[in-house]
C-alpha cells in the first residue's frame, strides 16, 4: 500500500488524478486541512471535494505536530476500500530524511524505512496495514464460525499458515516446523533489524469487518510513548480505520543480545492462520 512520509511543520500537497471509472477522493483524518476544499468527501452541506472520473484535484494538508501515523481513504467510493483504496501518511520528526534499509539511499515512499533525524532520534520504521473481508468469524450463531472465508492480510499480502505442518506427528515439533524458513522459505512479510536498533512499528487497519490485535512476540511497547511510566503492552487491539504507533522497549530484540526470529501479526488466531503474520528477524 502507499505509505508517504512528511516532517513536522511540512505542508503536504496531493495531486489526485482519478482513473478508477467512478468518483474518487483523498480523505486524511489527522492532519490540519480545510474540509471544504480538502475533505476528500461529500458530507452534509460541505462542498463536494471528491474527484470525477478522468479529472484531477489538489488536496492540501498541514503537519502541525509530530502525529505519527494517519490513515487516508477513498471515501468517495467506500466499496473500493475492500480493494485497497487506503494507505498511510506518517509525520516524522522535524528535518528527518527517509533512507532505504537496503542501501541507505533516499526514498520517497514504502512500508519500510530508516528515519534519520537531525536531533539524533533515528530509528528503523516498519509499517503493517491490515485488512480483512470476513463478516462471520465470531458471530453469535451455532456452530460458531471458526474459519476465515475471505481474504485477510498485511500490506496487501497474506501468507496462509502451513497447516500441514501443524497436523504432523506428535513426536515432531509441529509449531516450529510451520514457521521454519529453512524448510518453507521466508514468509511474505519479513522485517530485519540489528539487535538493539531503535524501532517504531506503525500499525493500522485499512478496511475490515473485524477487530484485530497486533502483537510481536518477545517485545513490549508503551501505551503512550511520550508519557514516562506509561503502561507497557505486548498486544494492541485495533479497529478498522484506526492506527497506532509502537516504540519497542529495548529496541530490536527486546533487550536480548543474540539474534533471533520473532513472530508478529494478528493475535486473533483465525486471522493469524489465514495469513496475517510475518517474521521480525534480528
Amino acid at each position: 500500500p502507499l505509505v508517504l512520509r512528511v516532517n513536522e511543520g511540512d505542508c503536504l500537497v496531493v495531486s489526485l488524478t482519478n482513473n478508477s471509472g467512478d468518483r474518487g477522493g483523498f480523505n486524511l483524518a489527522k492532519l490540519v486541512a480545510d474540509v471544504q476544499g480538502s475533505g476528500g468527501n461529500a458530507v452534509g452541506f460541505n462542498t463536494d471535494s471528491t474527484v470525477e472520473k478522468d479529472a484531477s484535484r489538489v488536496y492540501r494538508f498541514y503537519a502541525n505536530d509530530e502525529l505519527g501515523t494517519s490513515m487516508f481513504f477513498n471515501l468517495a467510493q467506500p466499496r473500493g476500500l475492500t480493494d485497497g483504496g487506503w494507505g498511510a501518511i506518517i509525520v516524522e520528526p522535524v528535518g528527518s530524511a527517509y533512507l532505504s534499509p537496503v542501501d541507505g539511499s533516499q526514498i520517497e515512499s514504502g512500508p519500510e524505512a530508516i528515519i534519520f533525524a537531525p536531533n539524533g532520534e533515528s530509528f528503523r520504521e516498519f509499517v503493517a496495514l491490515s485488512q480483512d473481508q470476513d463478516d462471520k468469524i465470531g458471530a453469535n450463531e451455532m456452530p460458531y464460525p471458526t474459519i476465515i472465508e475471505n481474504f485477510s492480510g498485511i500490506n496487501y499480502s497474506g501468507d496462509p499458515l502451513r497447516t500441514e505442518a501443524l497436523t504432523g506427528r506428535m513426536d515432531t515439533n509441529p509449531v516450529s516446523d510451520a514457521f521454519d524458513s529453512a524448510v518453507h522459505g521466508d514468509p511474505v512479510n519479513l522485517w530485519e533489524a540489528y539487535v538493539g536498533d531503535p524501532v517504531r512499528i506503525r500499525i493500522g487497519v485499512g478496511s475490515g469487518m473485524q477487530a484485530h490485535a497486533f502483537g510481536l512476540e518477545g517485545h513490549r511497547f508503551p501505551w503512550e510513548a511520550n508519557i514516562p511510566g506509561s503502561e507497557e503492552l505486548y498486544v494492541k487491539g485495533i479497529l478498522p480505520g484506526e492506527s497506532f504507533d509502537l516504540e519497542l522497549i529495548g529496541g530490536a530484540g527486546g533487550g536480548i543480545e543474540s539474534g533471533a526470529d520473532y513472530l508478529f501479526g494478528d493475535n486473533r488466531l483465525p486471522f493469524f492462520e489465514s495469513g496475517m503474520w510475518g517474521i521480525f528477524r534480528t
Side-chain angles (χ1 to χ4, degrees), residues 8-25:
E8 179 183 354
D10 284 352
C11 288
L12 172 65
V13 180
V14 177
S15 179
L16 178 65
T17 299
N18 180 15
N19 298 318
S20 68
D22 209 329
R23 296 196 72 87

Side-chain angles (χ1 to χ4, degrees), residues 213-223 231-237 244 246 248-249 254 263-265 267:
F214 181 90
L216 170 60
E217 70 171 4
H219 294 75
R220 63 194 193 283
F221 49 90
W223 181 284
E231 180 181 3
E232 296 179 5
L233 305 176
Y234 289 89
V235 176
K236 179 66 175 70
F244 188 78
L246 289 65
L248 300 185
I249 297 172
L263 287 171
F264 70 84
N267 277 40

Side-chain angles (χ1 to χ4, degrees), residues 28 113 118 121 140-141 145 163 223 231 277:
L28 179 58
E121 190 182 17
N140 188 19
E141 61 183 58
T163 53
W223 181 284
E231 180 181 3
W277 69 281

Side-chain angles (χ1 to χ4, degrees), residues 158-233:
D159 199 348
L161 209 57
R162 292 94 178 211
T163 53
E164 72 280 0
L166 294 178
T167 57
R169 294 173 54 192
M170 293 301 291
D171 58 354
T172 65
N173 189 346
V175 175
S176 175
D177 291 346
F179 306 107
D180 192 339
S181 291
V183 176
H184 303 284
D186 289 327
V188 174
N189 290 295
L190 175 68
W191 300 341
E192 295 180 295
Y194 290 103
V195 169
D197 281 350
V199 173
R200 296 186 187 182
I201 300 175
R202 319 288 193 174
I203 63 173
V205 180
S207 66
M209 310 290 289
Q210 300 286 334
H212 297 279
F214 181 90
L216 170 60
E217 70 171 4
H219 294 75
R220 63 194 193 283
F221 49 90
W223 181 284
E224 179 52 69
N226 296 321
I227 298 180
S230 173
E231 180 181 3
E232 296 179 5
L233 305 176

Side-chain angles (χ1 to χ4, degrees), residues 138-155:
N140 188 19
E141 61 183 58
M142 296 298 289
Y144 290 126
T146 59
I147 303 298
I148 305 300
E149 295 185 351
N150 300 302
F151 175 78
S152 61
I154 297 175
N155 292 347

Side-chain angles (χ1 to χ4, degrees), residues 1 69-73 81 85-88 127-133 152-156 202-214 236-244 266 271 276:
T69 307
S70 181
M71 301 292 296
F72 66 81
F73 305 94
L81 294 179
W86 43 265
V127 182
L129 304 182
S130 304
Q131 69 185 108
D132 78 82
Q133 300 177 359
S152 61
I154 297 175
N155 292 347
Y156 290 168
R202 319 288 193 174
I203 63 173
V205 180
S207 66
M209 310 290 289
Q210 300 286 334
H212 297 279
F214 181 90
K236 179 66 175 70
I238 189 168
L239 298 172
E242 288 188 326
S243 61
F244 188 78
D266 196 330
F271 285 106
M276 296 177 70

